[in-house]
Amino acid sequence: MGRIDDRLAELSITLTDPPAPAGAYVPAIVDGDHVLTSGQLPLVDGALPVTGHVGAEVDPEQAADLARTCALNALAAVDAWAAASGTDARAGTQVAAALDALLGVEI
């Protein structure tokens, strides 16, 4: 198990399968040295848990949790792409920056 997997386990985070695309797009693609994700919503079990504006229908704490869910969904999309392509995408600089920001993992 690598540092990223170790940190995810330490934080009790398990990357699930990424949500199915809600439209005609690919959740993660590679462009040169970058893995790009698209269409990341805070979907939980295929549905939006809440909708609205922060400060009105959605309180700031909920918004922060939903933003975290989006980030984890994006990482799950990259992880699924890496598994399908046989590539260790987690070594990419963009993924490294996302992991550092979200999990405090420097790679």
Side-chain angles (χ1 to χ4, degrees), residues 4 7 75 93-107:
I4 295 166
R7 183 65 175 144
L75 290 175
T93 56
Q94 295 299 312
V95 176
L99 287 167
D100 185 40
L102 183 67
L103 306 174
V105 174
E106 287 189 37
I107 52 177

Side-chain angles (χ1 to χ4, degrees), residues 8-83:
L8 288 168
E10 182 182 314
L11 295 171
S12 299
I13 295 172
T14 301
L15 292 180
T16 60
D17 290 334
Y25 63 89
V26 177
I29 62 167
V30 174
D31 181 23
D33 291 337
H34 299 110
V35 179
L36 308 172
T37 64
S38 178
Q40 301 307 318
L41 296 170
L43 296 174
V44 177
D45 296 325
L48 291 172
V50 66
T51 60
H53 293 89
V54 177
E57 300 87 2
V58 181
D59 65 52
E61 292 79 21
Q62 285 178 304
D65 287 342
L66 295 170
R68 181 178 183 276
T69 299
C70 285
L72 289 173
N73 286 345
L75 290 175
V78 171
D79 194 50
W81 170 83

